[in-house]
Amino acid sequence: MTVQDPNVVATSGAASAAAVAPAGKAADGVAVVTATGEIDMLTAPDLRADVLGRIDETPGAVVLDMTGVSFLGSAGLAVLVEASQHAKRRGTAFRVVAVARAVTRPLAATGLGDVFSVYGSVAEAVSADDGASAR
């Protein structure tokens, strides 16, 4: 196992890695978290820690940019559900950016695409006017 970056967890295969970039402020009260690679049972805990932490720190909205995600497993879906519920309790909007089939297909197959606010770009998600509460 090799780790090239402190935010990257590598598993047995070279392609089985996910990274969570530090969140940046895209606009007033909006934090953007970027996830890349595979979100599976080994990498989901890192995503969970970062997203829930950003929700705790951000009063307006947290945007999870998943445009660079190549695989979204059940552990990743569980993180999305938990993040959405956590955001709702805190009165923070939780928005997901998903365009790749690797993310949109599991969301559609599980019906979660109707539960989250899903956008086609970070710009759309950041500028969305859905108040301060997630759906």
Side-chain angles (χ1 to χ4, degrees):
M1 177 166 101
T2 60
V3 177
Q4 300 172 0
D5 181 282
N7 291 323
V8 176
V9 176
T11 60
S12 58
S16 184
V20 179
K25 293 287 184 186
D28 288 334
V30 179
V32 177
V33 179
T34 302
T36 59
E38 298 180 356
I39 309 298
D40 56 21
M41 62 185 263
L42 295 174
T43 59
D46 291 336
L47 178 65
R48 179 187 181 276
D50 197 43
V51 171
L52 294 183
R54 298 302 175 202
I55 290 170
D56 287 339
E57 298 169 358
T58 308
V62 173
V63 173
L64 176 57
D65 178 7
M66 300 186 80
T67 55
V69 171
S70 58
F71 174 81
L72 179 61
S74 60
L77 291 169
V79 169
L80 294 180
V81 170
E82 184 179 3
S84 176
Q85 292 171 344
H86 187 67
K88 185 175 280 189
R89 285 190 299 272
R90 296 200 40 89
T92 301
F94 178 65
R95 304 171 187 152
V96 177
V97 177
V99 292
R101 186 167 188 215
V103 177
T104 59
R105 185 163 183 188
L107 290 177
T110 58
L112 292 174
D114 296 330
V115 174
F116 308 122
S117 298
V118 180
Y119 297 88
S121 72
V122 172
E124 279 180 41
V126 167
S127 65
D129 185 19
D130 57 1
S133 62
R135 33 172 189 170

